[in-house]
Amino acid sequence: MGSKGMTPNAVLLQSKGLYEYILDTAVYPREAEPLKELRNATASHPLAFFGTTPDVGQLMGMLLKLVNAKKTIELGVFTGYSLLLTALNIPNDGRVMAIDPDREAFEIGFPIMQKAGVAHKIDFIEAEALPVLDKLLEDKENEGSFDFAFMDADKNNYLNYHERLMKLVKVGGIIIYDNTLWGGTVALPENAVPEGGKRLWRNSSIEFNRKVVGDQRAEISLAPLGDGIMICRRMF
Ligand SMILES: C[S@@+](CC[C@H](N)C(=O)[O-])C[C@H]1O[C@@H](n2cnc3c(N)ncnc32)[C@H](O)[C@@H]1O
Ligand SMILES: O=c1cc(-c2ccc(O)cc2)oc2c(O)c(O)ccc12
């Protein structure tokens, strides 16, 4: 499946054409078949725009391999593009703990994960993420035990997740936060953004970026891929 007619919103780049160029020349030709299949299966969903964009997925795949990620965690699964991507890029005995209260959406993608032969790597937990993280942290053994984390759940809780993930991920491990440029609205005056969820998430993103930039425990890169990703590497 190519990009025509279904390009994710190219809100951060100079033009939609430039984003299509990146996807068509560098991303789609290298995208694994099961990921294409999962995008197809999600395309008619009313929230299809939730899916992690394939350009972010491509970088995630590389980072997972660079840190030899074996034990990973994901908050915010939806139909499972980023989950399948992770499962495909960790070893056969690797595990991804995937947390989302919406099992229905997960079940759209799960048969594709089974067909791809990676379902045994996936532990889906049907729940809100915060109490699950708190439960994990009750056991000291879980501290510093994850190699990699991907965050794509409720945007107004990112700072709460960050505090917990910085304990759960090992020194040298990676945490990626999606949507941290929130359609470019982080650079707009507040009154230029419609009131409601979008403004709330814009404000949360600004606050999140500011706090993480000041967090000396992490090396960071705020990269303009997809809707913006904050990449953190735990230093101590
Ligand atoms: C943008 S979607 C995730 C997209 C996914 N990463 C993908 O590649 O398709 C956000 C997801 O976060 C989930 N979510 C919302 N609140 C949550 C919470 N408190 N804990 C965990 N997941 C949550 C929603 O149910 C939704 O499926
Ligand atoms: O439009 C959205 C909304 C969300 C979102 C908002 C609140 C939640 O509790 C969960 C998800 O997430 C999005 C997203 O991750 C994306 O890539 C595009 C759009 C949206």
Side-chain angles (χ1 to χ4, degrees):
M1 182 171 65
S3 70
K4 299 291 176 252
M6 50 178 308
T7 307
N9 285 334
V11 282
L12 296 178
L13 292 175
Q14 240 177 4
S15 68
K16 191 168 175 184
L18 182 54
Y19 193 36
E20 279 177 356
Y21 171 82
I22 293 168
L23 293 174
D24 289 342
T25 62
V27 179
Y28 291 135
R30 295 292 192 96
E31 189 184 39
E33 277 308 315
L35 291 171
K36 291 187 201 299
E37 201 183 327
L38 194 139
R39 279 198 294 117
N40 262 327
T42 305
S44 59
H45 193 289
L47 298 175
F49 58 88
F50 266 16
T52 299
T53 58
D55 52 331
V56 169
Q58 191 177 51
L59 180 67
M60 260 176 79
M62 192 187 287
L63 289 172
L64 282 159
K65 293 215 178 86
L66 276 171
V67 300
N68 293 317
K70 198 167 169 184
K71 185 176 173 189
T72 83
I73 185 165
E74 163 165 320
L75 318 184
V77 174
F78 186 48
T79 60
Y81 187 90
S82 51
L83 175 56
L84 175 57
L85 182 286
T86 302
L88 288 168
N89 283 286
I90 58 177
N92 200 37
D93 61 346
R95 287 285 177 279
V96 48
M97 179 184 289
I99 311 168
D100 196 310
D102 184 358
R103 177 177 286 278
E104 212 177 299
F106 166 70
E107 281 176 353
I108 295 172
F110 191 61
I112 299 166
M113 300 172 205
Q114 289 176 305
K115 200 168 96 183
V118 295
H120 64 285
K121 304 182 196 176
I122 294 166
D123 299 321
F124 178 77
I125 300 174
E126 182 184 348
E128 304 264 333
L130 213 48
V132 177
L133 299 187
D134 284 335
K135 188 88 195 146
L136 283 172
L137 283 167
E138 281 174 17
D139 183 350
K140 283 254 174 227
E141 292 233 324
N142 288 319
E143 283 184 17
S145 72
F146 289 87
D147 304 302
F148 189 96
F150 181 62
M151 160 52 51
D152 197 12
D154 42 333
K155 315 300 165 192
N156 43 319
N157 258 325
Y158 272 25
L159 275 173
N160 290 323
Y161 294 129
H162 181 67
E163 275 317 308
R164 287 149 178 89
L165 290 174
M166 283 297 285
K167 294 183 185 134
L168 289 166
V169 166
K170 65 171 58 156
V171 172
I174 298 284
I175 312 171
I176 297 183
Y177 297 90
D178 201 7
N179 308 105
T180 49
L181 295 175
W182 199 246
T185 59
V186 291
L188 294 177
E190 186 171 17
N191 63 10
V193 184
E195 279 182 56
K198 296 241 176 227
R199 188 185 283 186
L200 176 75
W201 298 324
R202 167 215 178 255
N203 293 346
S204 302
S205 299
I206 290 173
E207 182 65 358
F208 172 78
N209 292 334
R210 194 179 66 76
K211 285 266 173 60
V212 171
V213 171
D215 183 347
Q216 299 305 317
R217 296 169 299 175
E219 273 180 288
I220 60 150
S221 172
L222 179 48
L225 266 72
D227 193 23
I229 52 172
M230 178 69 88
I231 307 171
C232 296
R233 178 180 171 276
R234 184 177 167 194
M235 292 196 293
F236 57 84

